[in-house]
Amino acid sequence: QEIRVLSRILTLTKAGIEYEADPRHAEIVISDLGLKEAQGVVAPGTKEEGTPSSDHEVKLAPYKATEYRSITARLNYLSPDRPDISFSVKELARSMSEPTVGSWEKLKRLGRYLINIPRAVLHVPYQEFPESLRVYTDADWAGCKVSRKSTSGGVMRPGKHTIKTWGKTQSLLALSSGESGFSAAVHVAL
């Protein structure tokens, strides 16, 4: 009653289908970061992590930057199947061109989160064909402490199923929370 498709595990149950990303990716990230014996954390990131400081702006050595990009790329592959880490992965990917010491600390924080929660199983219960598609969206106004750009986020649900989640840095610099929220709503409509 179980099948692997593109490194994802699908399990057929009496209540519906269970969908899970391959847990080996989380294990590899933890191993690559050298966190096998580390203490886990309960959240993939904190608001204080985005606070700029002089030591966070120091660029990583070239070999360490390559390692950062490799681990972040693996997490980027994992994030569509793990809505709980998608925002943190988006923030890590923003630093791919020039990773800093602060970026590395954020990456290690996410790795410590994966120690506590290495697996996430999405349950897709059986249901009648839904009559409508519900989309929920919101934005944080000027959430990035460096660029002052907002992040749009949302979820798409036909009935009880979550079929898509997203978090995206807005390209415009919103002058108010209303403008930020309007931009998020327009993104959904397109």
Side-chain angles (χ1 to χ4, degrees):
Q1 301 292 10
E2 182 177 288
I3 187 171
R4 288 182 181 260
V5 179
L6 298 173
S7 296
R8 290 157 178 93
I9 303 166
L10 298 167
T11 307
L12 184 63
T13 66
K14 290 182 180 184
I17 298 171
E18 293 179 351
Y19 176 89
E20 175 186 9
D22 191 341
R24 290 181 296 171
H25 292 296
E27 293 166 8
I28 292 169
V29 167
I30 292 165
S31 175
D32 287 352
L33 289 170
L35 297 174
K36 286 191 175 188
E37 303 300 321
Q39 186 77 20
V41 294
V42 296
T46 65
K47 277 222 176 250
E48 288 74 36
E49 285 177 345
T51 307
S53 65
S54 59
D55 62 333
H56 286 303
E57 298 307 313
V58 175
K59 304 241 184 304
L60 290 177
Y63 76 93
K64 202 72 162 168
T66 301
E67 188 177 357
Y68 175 88
R69 291 181 187 108
S70 171
I71 296 169
T72 302
R74 181 177 295 279
L75 287 166
N76 195 32
Y77 178 78
L78 187 62
S79 70
D81 303 324
R82 295 281 308 259
D84 56 332
I85 66 169
S86 63
F87 177 80
S88 295
V89 173
K90 174 197 74 84
E91 289 297 311
L92 292 171
R94 290 178 66 194
S95 303
M96 291 270 282
S97 62
E98 292 183 344
T100 63
V101 172
S103 306
W104 185 259
E105 288 177 11
K106 290 179 188 178
L107 180 61
K108 287 186 82 166
R109 168 76 186 214
L110 182 54
R112 289 187 6 245
Y113 172 76
L114 292 174
I115 290 171
N116 269 2
I117 305 175
R119 302 175 63 187
V121 179
L122 301 174
H123 299 277
V124 183
Y126 297 122
Q127 69 177 7
E128 295 293 322
F129 191 79
E131 294 182 15
S132 63
L133 175 68
R134 292 179 189 236
V135 181
Y136 304 93
T137 187
D138 198 5
D140 70 339
W141 177 42
C144 178
K145 292 179 176 30
V146 176
S147 68
R148 306 307 295 164
K149 289 188 176 181
S150 305
T151 297
S152 299
V155 62
M156 194 175 291
R157 301 191 74 195
K160 301 175 194 171
H161 303 161
T162 298
I163 59 170
K164 181 177 173 82
T165 61
W166 68 89
K168 181 179 187 251
T169 303
Q170 294 180 356
S171 58
L172 61 94
L173 192 57
L175 301 177
S176 69
S177 60
E179 187 177 350
S180 175
F182 181 73
S183 177
V186 167
H187 174 75
V188 168
L190 298 178

